[in-house]
Amino acid sequence: MRIDIITVLPELLKSPFEASILKRAIEKGLVEVHFHNLRDYSIGNYKQVDDYQFGGGAGMVLMIEPIDKCISKLKKERDYDDVIYMTPDGDTLNQGISNEVSLKKNLIILCGHYKGVDQRVRDLFITREISIGDYVLSGGELAAAVLCDSIIRLLPGVLNDETSALTDTFQDNLLAPPVYTRPSDYKGLKVPEVLLSGDFPKIEKWREEQAMERTTKLRPDLLK
């Protein structure tokens, strides 16, 4: 997989990809992540990438021309499965979307900033709009990092135990069951006996029951 991220703040994005699972995925050659500074495609000596919005109103808007130049350059080099725009009014990211996007080969992710992008960018170039929740961030960079983390960890070979991703919360529209590790008794708080029994069918049944119970109590909306 190759991911090209277009941003006005590439320095804000790099850190998450320089540690832990994402770093290992890149080092293994399982994913390429490239950052493109929108100011490299800017207009004039002042490297302008934003302007006031027509009709008045507070806040600046990312201009179409620098974005057009960047996306057009990338598309000349390879075909892309999706051009994703991170925006609060996009489809709310969930595990199903992450699963789907993880199957793509080449992605462009555009990070919004200020009051967003010229609507013509969305009309002409964007194939999918994704939000990470009903709130507003200063820009789309952190949202792009969240999306990338959620899809890269699903790529074959990224996790040491690939079955781990299949048992994550939300994979089956259920919350994950409680998990425990050593010691089995900590200050009188004991691990459930079933987990120490070695009876794996019984353990699996317990986990399914716990997952259903937690989901019913905490996130009944998932069961709909």
Side-chain angles (χ1 to χ4, degrees), residues 120-155:
R120 290 168 291 187
V121 171
R122 302 169 81 164
D123 295 339
L124 291 174
F125 306 115
I126 303 304
T127 61
R128 185 163 207 167
E129 300 187 352
I130 295 178
S131 165
I132 63 167
D134 294 339
Y135 49 88
V136 178
L137 299 172
S138 299
E141 286 76 17
L142 297 180
V146 169
L147 174 64
C148 289
D149 190 301
S150 75
I151 62 178
I152 291 174
R153 66 188 308 277
L154 297 173
L155 299 178

Short mmCIF file of all heavy atoms in Angstrom, two decimals, residues 120-155:
data_model
loop_
_atom_site.label_atom_id
_atom_site.label_comp_id
_atom_site.label_asym_id
_atom_site.label_seq_id
_atom_site.Cartn_x
_atom_site.Cartn_y
_atom_site.Cartn_z
N ARG A 120 -14.94 23.40 -4.76
CA ARG A 120 -14.63 22.81 -6.07
C ARG A 120 -13.60 21.69 -5.96
O ARG A 120 -13.57 20.78 -6.80
CB ARG A 120 -14.16 23.90 -7.03
CG ARG A 120 -15.30 24.86 -7.43
CD ARG A 120 -14.80 26.09 -8.13
NE ARG A 120 -14.05 26.95 -7.22
CZ ARG A 120 -13.60 28.16 -7.55
NH1 ARG A 120 -13.83 28.65 -8.77
NH2 ARG A 120 -12.93 28.90 -6.67
N VAL A 121 -12.76 21.73 -4.91
CA VAL A 121 -11.84 20.61 -4.66
C VAL A 121 -12.64 19.35 -4.37
O VAL A 121 -12.36 18.28 -4.91
CB VAL A 121 -10.91 20.94 -3.46
CG1 VAL A 121 -10.10 19.70 -3.06
CG2 VAL A 121 -10.00 22.10 -3.79
N ARG A 122 -13.65 19.50 -3.53
CA ARG A 122 -14.48 18.34 -3.17
C ARG A 122 -15.27 17.84 -4.38
O ARG A 122 -15.45 16.63 -4.55
CB ARG A 122 -15.42 18.73 -2.03
CG ARG A 122 -14.66 19.20 -0.80
CD ARG A 122 -15.53 19.83 0.26
NE ARG A 122 -16.18 18.84 1.11
CZ ARG A 122 -16.72 19.12 2.28
NH1 ARG A 122 -16.70 20.36 2.75
NH2 ARG A 122 -17.30 18.17 2.99
N ASP A 123 -15.71 18.77 -5.21
CA ASP A 123 -16.51 18.39 -6.38
C ASP A 123 -15.67 17.68 -7.44
O ASP A 123 -16.14 16.74 -8.09
CB ASP A 123 -17.16 19.64 -7.01
CG ASP A 123 -18.17 20.30 -6.08
OD1 ASP A 123 -18.68 19.63 -5.16
OD2 ASP A 123 -18.44 21.51 -6.28
N LEU A 124 -14.42 18.11 -7.62
CA LEU A 124 -13.61 17.63 -8.72
C LEU A 124 -12.72 16.44 -8.38
O LEU A 124 -12.52 15.55 -9.21
CB LEU A 124 -12.72 18.77 -9.26
CG LEU A 124 -13.42 19.91 -9.99
CD1 LEU A 124 -12.42 21.01 -10.31
CD2 LEU A 124 -14.07 19.40 -11.27
N PHE A 125 -12.17 16.42 -7.17
CA PHE A 125 -11.10 15.46 -6.88
C PHE A 125 -11.44 14.41 -5.83
O PHE A 125 -10.92 13.30 -5.88
CB PHE A 125 -9.84 16.20 -6.42
CG PHE A 125 -9.37 17.26 -7.37
CD1 PHE A 125 -9.38 18.60 -7.01
CD2 PHE A 125 -8.92 16.92 -8.64
CE1 PHE A 125 -8.96 19.57 -7.88
CE2 PHE A 125 -8.49 17.89 -9.52
CZ PHE A 125 -8.50 19.23 -9.14
N ILE A 126 -12.27 14.76 -4.88
CA ILE A 126 -12.47 13.89 -3.72
C ILE A 126 -13.43 12.75 -4.04
O ILE A 126 -14.52 12.98 -4.59
CB ILE A 126 -13.00 14.71 -2.52
CG1 ILE A 126 -12.03 15.85 -2.19
CG2 ILE A 126 -13.19 13.80 -1.31
CD1 ILE A 126 -10.61 15.43 -1.91
N THR A 127 -13.02 11.54 -3.71
CA THR A 127 -13.88 10.37 -3.93
C THR A 127 -14.52 9.88 -2.64
O THR A 127 -15.48 9.12 -2.68
CB THR A 127 -13.08 9.21 -4.56
OG1 THR A 127 -12.03 8.82 -3.67
CG2 THR A 127 -12.47 9.65 -5.90
N ARG A 128 -13.94 10.30 -1.51
CA ARG A 128 -14.49 9.86 -0.22
C ARG A 128 -14.16 10.89 0.84
O ARG A 128 -13.04 11.41 0.89
CB ARG A 128 -13.89 8.51 0.16
CG ARG A 128 -14.50 7.90 1.40
CD ARG A 128 -14.17 6.42 1.47
NE ARG A 128 -15.19 5.71 2.22
CZ ARG A 128 -15.32 4.40 2.25
NH1 ARG A 128 -14.51 3.65 1.55
NH2 ARG A 128 -16.26 3.82 2.97
N GLU A 129 -15.14 11.17 1.72
CA GLU A 129 -14.93 12.11 2.81
C GLU A 129 -15.13 11.37 4.13
O GLU A 129 -16.14 10.69 4.32
CB GLU A 129 -15.90 13.29 2.69
CG GLU A 129 -15.73 14.05 1.38
CD GLU A 129 -16.57 15.32 1.32
OE1 GLU A 129 -17.39 15.53 2.22
OE2 GLU A 129 -16.36 16.11 0.38
N ILE A 130 -14.15 11.52 5.03
CA ILE A 130 -14.16 10.77 6.28
C ILE A 130 -13.96 11.71 7.45
O ILE A 130 -13.11 12.61 7.42
CB ILE A 130 -13.08 9.67 6.28
CG1 ILE A 130 -13.39 8.62 5.21
CG2 ILE A 130 -12.97 9.01 7.66
CD1 ILE A 130 -12.35 7.52 5.10
N SER A 131 -14.73 11.49 8.51
CA SER A 131 -14.62 12.21 9.77
C SER A 131 -14.22 11.22 10.86
O SER A 131 -14.54 10.04 10.78
CB SER A 131 -15.97 12.86 10.12
OG SER A 131 -16.00 13.27 11.47
N ILE A 132 -13.52 11.70 11.88
CA ILE A 132 -13.23 10.82 13.02
C ILE A 132 -14.12 11.15 14.21
O ILE A 132 -13.92 10.61 15.30
CB ILE A 132 -11.74 10.87 13.43
CG1 ILE A 132 -11.33 12.26 13.90
CG2 ILE A 132 -10.85 10.39 12.28
CD1 ILE A 132 -9.96 12.27 14.60
N GLY A 133 -15.12 11.99 14.01
CA GLY A 133 -16.05 12.28 15.10
C GLY A 133 -16.72 13.62 14.94
O GLY A 133 -16.30 14.47 14.14
N ASP A 134 -17.76 13.83 15.71
CA ASP A 134 -18.54 15.05 15.62
C ASP A 134 -17.93 16.16 16.47
O ASP A 134 -18.50 16.61 17.48
CB ASP A 134 -19.99 14.79 16.05
CG ASP A 134 -20.71 13.85 15.11
OD1 ASP A 134 -20.26 13.71 13.95
OD2 ASP A 134 -21.70 13.23 15.53
N TYR A 135 -16.76 16.59 16.07
CA TYR A 135 -16.08 17.71 16.72
C TYR A 135 -15.11 18.29 15.70
O TYR A 135 -14.85 17.70 14.65
CB TYR A 135 -15.34 17.26 17.98
CG TYR A 135 -14.48 16.05 17.79
CD1 TYR A 135 -13.16 16.16 17.38
CD2 TYR A 135 -14.99 14.77 18.01
CE1 TYR A 135 -12.37 15.04 17.18
CE2 TYR A 135 -14.20 13.65 17.83
CZ TYR A 135 -12.89 13.78 17.42
OH TYR A 135 -12.12 12.67 17.23
N VAL A 136 -14.57 19.46 16.00
CA VAL A 136 -13.71 20.16 15.05
C VAL A 136 -12.30 20.24 15.59
O VAL A 136 -12.08 20.61 16.75
CB VAL A 136 -14.25 21.58 14.78
CG1 VAL A 136 -13.31 22.33 13.83
CG2 VAL A 136 -15.65 21.51 14.18
N LEU A 137 -11.33 19.88 14.75
CA LEU A 137 -9.91 20.02 15.06
C LEU A 137 -9.35 21.22 14.30
O LEU A 137 -9.99 21.76 13.40
CB LEU A 137 -9.16 18.76 14.65
CG LEU A 137 -9.58 17.45 15.33
CD1 LEU A 137 -8.87 16.27 14.67
CD2 LEU A 137 -9.27 17.50 16.81
N SER A 138 -8.14 21.62 14.65
CA SER A 138 -7.51 22.75 13.96
C SER A 138 -7.21 22.41 12.50
O SER A 138 -7.11 23.30 11.66
CB SER A 138 -6.22 23.16 14.68
OG SER A 138 -6.51 23.57 16.01
N GLY A 139 -7.02 21.15 12.22
CA GLY A 139 -6.75 20.71 10.86
C GLY A 139 -6.96 19.22 10.74
O GLY A 139 -7.21 18.53 11.74
N GLY A 140 -6.81 18.70 9.54
CA GLY A 140 -7.08 17.28 9.30
C GLY A 140 -5.90 16.37 9.54
O GLY A 140 -6.00 15.15 9.34
N GLU A 141 -4.76 16.92 10.00
CA GLU A 141 -3.56 16.11 10.15
C GLU A 141 -3.72 15.00 11.19
O GLU A 141 -3.36 13.84 10.93
CB GLU A 141 -2.37 17.00 10.52
CG GLU A 141 -1.83 17.85 9.38
CD GLU A 141 -2.71 19.06 9.06
OE1 GLU A 141 -3.54 19.43 9.93
OE2 GLU A 141 -2.56 19.62 7.97
N LEU A 142 -4.22 15.34 12.36
CA LEU A 142 -4.39 14.31 13.40
C LEU A 142 -5.42 13.28 12.97
O LEU A 142 -5.28 12.09 13.24
CB LEU A 142 -4.78 14.97 14.72
CG LEU A 142 -3.75 15.93 15.32
CD1 LEU A 142 -4.27 16.50 16.63
CD2 LEU A 142 -2.42 15.24 15.52
N ALA A 143 -6.46 13.74 12.29
CA ALA A 143 -7.48 12.81 11.79
C ALA A 143 -6.88 11.87 10.75
O ALA A 143 -7.19 10.67 10.72
CB ALA A 143 -8.64 13.59 11.18
N ALA A 144 -6.00 12.38 9.89
CA ALA A 144 -5.34 11.54 8.89
C ALA A 144 -4.47 10.49 9.55
O ALA A 144 -4.41 9.34 9.11
CB ALA A 144 -4.51 12.41 7.94
N ALA A 145 -3.78 10.87 10.64
CA ALA A 145 -2.95 9.91 11.37
C ALA A 145 -3.80 8.80 11.98
O ALA A 145 -3.41 7.63 11.97
CB ALA A 145 -2.15 10.63 12.46
N VAL A 146 -4.96 9.18 12.51
CA VAL A 146 -5.88 8.18 13.07
C VAL A 146 -6.34 7.21 11.99
O VAL A 146 -6.33 5.99 12.18
CB VAL A 146 -7.10 8.87 13.72
CG1 VAL A 146 -8.19 7.85 14.05
CG2 VAL A 146 -6.68 9.61 14.99
N LEU A 147 -6.74 7.74 10.84
CA LEU A 147 -7.18 6.88 9.74
C LEU A 147 -6.06 5.93 9.31
O LEU A 147 -6.28 4.73 9.15
CB LEU A 147 -7.64 7.73 8.55
CG LEU A 147 -7.99 6.97 7.28
CD1 LEU A 147 -9.19 6.04 7.51
CD2 LEU A 147 -8.27 7.93 6.12
N CYS A 148 -4.86 6.47 9.15
CA CYS A 148 -3.73 5.64 8.71
C CYS A 148 -3.43 4.53 9.71
O CYS A 148 -3.18 3.38 9.32
CB CYS A 148 -2.50 6.51 8.49
SG CYS A 148 -2.60 7.57 7.04
N ASP A 149 -3.43 4.87 10.99
CA ASP A 149 -3.18 3.85 12.01
C ASP A 149 -4.22 2.74 11.93
O ASP A 149 -3.89 1.55 12.00
CB ASP A 149 -3.21 4.51 13.40
CG ASP A 149 -2.72 3.57 14.50
OD1 ASP A 149 -3.32 2.49 14.67
OD2 ASP A 149 -1.76 3.92 15.18
N SER A 150 -5.48 3.12 11.75
CA SER A 150 -6.56 2.14 11.75
C SER A 150 -6.50 1.19 10.56
O SER A 150 -6.99 0.06 10.63
CB SER A 150 -7.92 2.84 11.80
OG SER A 150 -8.27 3.41 10.56
N ILE A 151 -5.91 1.65 9.44
CA ILE A 151 -5.86 0.78 8.25
C ILE A 151 -4.53 0.05 8.12
O ILE A 151 -4.50 -1.10 7.70
CB ILE A 151 -6.17 1.57 6.95
CG1 ILE A 151 -5.16 2.67 6.70
CG2 ILE A 151 -7.57 2.14 7.01
CD1 ILE A 151 -5.40 3.46 5.41
N ILE A 152 -3.43 0.69 8.50
CA ILE A 152 -2.12 0.06 8.34
C ILE A 152 -2.01 -1.17 9.23
O ILE A 152 -1.43 -2.20 8.84
CB ILE A 152 -1.00 1.07 8.63
CG1 ILE A 152 -0.95 2.12 7.50
CG2 ILE A 152 0.36 0.36 8.74
CD1 ILE A 152 0.02 3.25 7.76
N ARG A 153 -2.55 -1.11 10.44
CA ARG A 153 -2.45 -2.25 11.36
C ARG A 153 -3.19 -3.48 10.83
O ARG A 153 -2.96 -4.60 11.30
CB ARG A 153 -2.98 -1.88 12.74
CG ARG A 153 -4.47 -1.58 12.77
CD ARG A 153 -4.89 -1.03 14.13
NE ARG A 153 -4.44 -1.87 15.23
CZ ARG A 153 -5.07 -2.96 15.63
NH1 ARG A 153 -6.17 -3.35 15.02
NH2 ARG A 153 -4.61 -3.68 16.64
N LEU A 154 -4.06 -3.28 9.85
CA LEU A 154 -4.81 -4.40 9.28
C LEU A 154 -4.09 -5.08 8.12
O LEU A 154 -4.50 -6.15 7.68
CB LEU A 154 -6.18 -3.91 8.78
CG LEU A 154 -7.14 -3.35 9.85
CD1 LEU A 154 -8.37 -2.74 9.18
CD2 LEU A 154 -7.54 -4.43 10.83
N LEU A 155 -3.01 -4.46 7.63
CA LEU A 155 -2.30 -5.03 6.48
C LEU A 155 -1.61 -6.33 6.89
O LEU A 155 -1.02 -6.42 7.97
CB LEU A 155 -1.27 -4.04 5.95
CG LEU A 155 -1.80 -2.69 5.45
CD1 LEU A 155 -0.64 -1.81 5.00
CD2 LEU A 155 -2.80 -2.88 4.32
#
